[in-house]
Amino acid sequence: MIRRVVELVASAVFVLWGAATLAFLAFRVIPGDPVDVMLGPLAQVSEATKDGIRDELGLTRPPLQQYLDYLGGLLRGDLGESYQLRMPVAEVIGRNLAPTVQLTLLALVIGVVLALTVALLARRGAPRAIASAVELVVLSSPVFWIGLILLSVFAFGLGWFPVAGTRNPATIVLPAITLALPVAALIGQVLRDGIEQAERQPFAETVRARGAGPVRLTLVHTLRHGASGALTLTAYLVGSLLGGAVLVETVFARPGLGRVTLTAILDRDLPVVTGIIMLSALVFVVINTIVELVHPLIDPRLRVARRRNDATHAGATLTDATPAGAGEPR
């Protein structure tokens, strides 16, 4: 277990370092002068003043020194300063983080509940065919198109939900459903296939032989085994929810990191874009680390496999450490 935790920590550090490095390279490769972006196109500033700003920002240092300073700032929690807002990036993200977290968490809950419901109720015959067709349509549709359809039907047409804003708690329902539908479609497919594969395993035959009915077999045994792949997929989809929030928050005129990201891209506010990339990488690493640790609790076969692997590894280490002929009879 300790060795597994060390491997996960090392993998997390590598992913964060890779994301930071790619963000730094993108920061330097994208054409344009950061100082001109900060000052704006209408600013009347001399070149000497611009050179002073570049020197203050460290842009005149060698690239390697800039990279090391950048990594050092990340280790200290310093994400830099926004070009346009002229405030720390951490503060910009902190002010807009709560609405996006609320939206993504609600969308994740709705998506998982829908996926679980459809996977359990639409497994055979016509219900399965209908569910598969709907899932295919949802997965083939852009997120913003789903949002526009929901707005047209339930906001403009039926008037059940507000069109935009944040004052009314009901305004979060349609954006959350918009994000949740693709997640539910994908998780539902994987979960349904996982349950069907588990029902063909030898342990399922043993459970049936003991007199368990279909409902007990599914809820107590095959659902837990079949959810292993769906759990891993859910962890990966958390990142897609953050990405989808960019479009959804724009369509529904909601505040949050999505609109901040879109504005930063349009204004070429690269420190803000870099900070959001690092936040997404951190969320990805944390979620996947938690899933890796929880996986053996859900699927006992993983615990058995890891114990056998550890025993094999320990036996090989002991064999390598034993001197030749040490155990041979005289």
Side-chain angles (χ1 to χ4, degrees):
M1 186 64 180
I2 296 177
R3 181 164 58 88
R4 182 58 181 166
V5 172
V6 172
E7 291 176 354
L8 290 175
V9 171
S11 176
V13 172
F14 179 77
V15 171
L16 292 176
W17 170 79
T21 301
L22 290 177
F24 176 83
L25 293 176
F27 185 81
R28 296 301 182 272
V29 170
I30 294 177
D33 188 355
V35 175
D36 290 337
V37 176
M38 291 178 61
L39 298 176
L42 302 179
Q44 301 293 329
V45 180
S46 64
E47 287 298 326
T49 303
K50 292 182 179 180
D51 291 338
I53 297 176
R54 294 188 188 97
D55 185 67
E56 181 181 353
L57 296 176
L59 299 178
T60 57
R61 300 174 184 174
L64 180 59
Q65 183 63 40
Q66 293 184 40
Y67 177 66
L68 295 177
D69 294 341
Y70 168 72
L71 291 181
L74 292 180
L75 292 175
R76 297 190 304 270
D78 183 9
L79 299 176
E81 183 176 308
S82 169
Y83 289 165
Q84 297 295 328
L85 302 177
R86 309 304 294 269
M87 58 189 301
V89 173
E91 186 176 347
V92 175
I93 294 176
R95 289 185 175 183
N96 297 275
L97 183 61
T100 300
V101 171
Q102 293 174 358
L103 177 61
T104 53
L105 287 180
L106 181 58
L108 185 61
V109 171
I110 294 175
V112 171
V113 171
L114 285 177
L116 183 61
T117 303
V118 173
L120 293 177
L121 300 180
R123 297 175 52 198
R124 294 177 180 86
R128 177 188 175 91
I130 295 174
S132 298
V134 173
E135 290 168 351
L136 180 60
V137 171
V138 171
L139 291 174
S140 303
S141 304
V143 175
F144 71 88
W145 184 81
I146 296 176
L148 292 176
I149 293 295
L150 293 179
L151 271 177
S152 300
V153 175
F154 296 102
F156 296 115
L158 300 176
W160 291 356
F161 298 98
V163 176
T166 57
R167 295 183 178 180
N168 189 341
T171 56
I172 197 175
V173 175
L174 290 182
I177 294 177
T178 302
L179 277 178
L181 287 179
V183 172
L186 195 54
I187 296 177
Q189 289 180 349
V190 175
L191 183 59
R192 186 166 55 246
D193 293 341
I195 294 175
E196 292 178 353
Q197 291 177 6
E199 289 181 346
R200 293 192 292 267
Q201 297 295 321
F203 78 88
E205 296 297 331
T206 303
V207 174
R208 292 190 185 97
R210 293 176 179 175
V215 176
R216 179 178 175 81
L217 173 65
T218 300
L219 296 180
V220 179
H221 299 280
T222 57
L223 177 60
R224 183 176 60 175
H225 291 79
S228 178
L231 179 63
T232 303
L233 179 62
T234 302
Y236 282 102
L237 290 178
V238 172
S240 69
L241 288 176
L242 292 175
V246 176
L247 295 175
V248 172
E249 289 177 353
T250 302
V251 171
F252 290 91
R254 288 185 55 85
L257 288 181
R259 296 187 66 183
V260 170
T261 304
L262 182 61
T263 303
I265 292 174
L266 295 177
D267 293 339
R268 298 173 64 186
D269 197 343
L270 298 180
V272 174
V273 176
T274 302
I276 294 176
I277 290 174
M278 293 304 303
L279 176 63
S280 301
L282 180 62
V283 171
F284 174 82
V285 164
V286 171
I287 295 296
N288 280 274
T289 301
I290 294 175
V291 168
E292 287 291 333
L293 295 176
V294 172
H295 239 150
L297 301 178
I298 297 177
D299 194 344
R301 295 172 298 178
L302 293 177
R303 293 200 301 269
V304 175
R306 289 181 180 177
R307 287 173 183 172
R308 290 177 179 176
N309 186 32
D310 293 340
T312 303
H313 179 75
T317 303
L318 181 60
T319 301
D320 294 339
T322 302
E328 298 177 0
R330 297 184 181 178

